[in-house]
Amino acid sequence: MENAFFIMGGTTSQRLPITISKLHICTWNMRDCNAYFELGIEIAANTLSLNVDYSISFLAEWLSPDCEIISLHEKFADSDNARFIFNETVESTRDVNGNKHNGTRISFTNKRQIMLLPINEAKPQDGMVILTFNNKAPQGVYPYIRILIKTPLSQLAMIKKGIAKNSYVFDIKINEKRNLPNWVLDVQNQSNSQFCPIEKAFCLHAVPASYEISFIDSNKLKNVRKLEKSAFTKYLPEIKSIENDDYIITFSKSEDKDKSSYSFFSVFTQETIGTDQVIIAVIINVVCSLLFALGSWRLSCFALKNRWQKIPWEFGIAFIVVIIAFTIFCQHRRKAK
């Protein structure tokens, strides 16, 4: 799966670049449903004009009209969600014009303030979705938009299947201009848009707890923790699979002085044949070998005239054992996918 992302934006009329102070991306790789993708964009304070429409284009090769876009701004009217997602102590929340549908202003105890803004109806196209919003953040307040993308894909990772284990590779690239795809150049030229400068980028991956972390850049990795089911279920009830399994979430952060591009590389693995399966296979092999040997010995010791009697019953037991073992193995492989 190609995970190169591009972010362009500006005013709806001039398309001047928007400076992003913090970019949040989170992949949700659930066991029994399609993948989800979360995108949060915090815009530098004092860089947008009040009550002016702006648009940000998010480009990803896997985007299609089959994706569903949900604005998450109303979730943060609840201070618990704000504290949990931004990992900061919330001092107060205030809805715009008394209605959370219009946006929410959040004040943290460190005096930092952000304004959660609603986006207009976003209709994804092949490879792109345009997020349009009206800036209601006054001076000193960071405008912020956040969306959830329901994808028709089972995985956002590149999967490498093996006999004993599967590997899930996340090669995240953001605004990587080297070897820029032609279709991205076409979008940029047609819309006259500029790539958004990004001061800091955060990348999170939520994966089943049965996955093992094979590789993550230690210079960027900040935290690995078990997913808090109750908090995330309250924040994102749209992802119903959270309650059905245990998950871990990895948290990486990168800061680029040039504000140009970012990359996050992670590899997770999941055993399809574990130690228990190997031990069972060895025991089954020994049992079947003994049954075949016993059947052959009986045939050599006793003369049987009926051709059906010449087939040792031990062979039948061995065949049944093999069928049962094969069925269990297939069920385990299917569950591991």
Side-chain angles (χ1 to χ4, degrees), residues 61 64 66 72 99 131 136 145 148 155 167 169 195 199 213 215 224 248-249 253 285 305 315 334 337:
E61 194 173 22
S64 73
D66 294 328
L72 299 177
N99 189 338
L131 308 175
K136 297 181 177 67
I145 60 174
L148 179 69
Q155 282 281 349
S167 297
V169 181
F195 289 102
E199 296 176 355
I213 301 173
F215 177 83
V224 178
I248 59 171
I249 189 163
K253 174 185 175 182
N285 181 57
K305 295 182 179 181
F315 285 17
R334 192 178 299 113
K337 291 181 180 178

Side-chain angles (χ1 to χ4, degrees), residues 28-36 153-155 166 168 206-212 239-248 269-272 331-337:
W28 293 85
N29 297 272
M30 318 308 292
R31 189 179 296 281
D32 53 358
C33 70
N34 290 338
Y36 292 78
L153 307 171
S154 60
Q155 282 281 349
N166 293 335
Y168 301 86
V207 298
S210 58
Y211 286 17
E212 293 184 358
I239 307 180
K240 302 184 185 303
S241 299
I242 293 178
E243 297 180 340
N244 301 334
D245 209 340
D246 291 326
Y247 292 88
I248 59 171
T269 58
Q270 183 185 34
E271 287 187 344
T272 55
Q331 290 177 344
H332 180 78
R333 289 276 295 184
R334 192 178 299 113
K335 184 181 294 186
K337 291 181 180 178

Side-chain angles (χ1 to χ4, degrees), residues 2 23 133 177 186 234 257:
E2 181 63 40
L23 176 70
F133 62 95
K177 302 176 185 67
D186 292 340
K234 179 181 180 182
K257 293 181 180 179

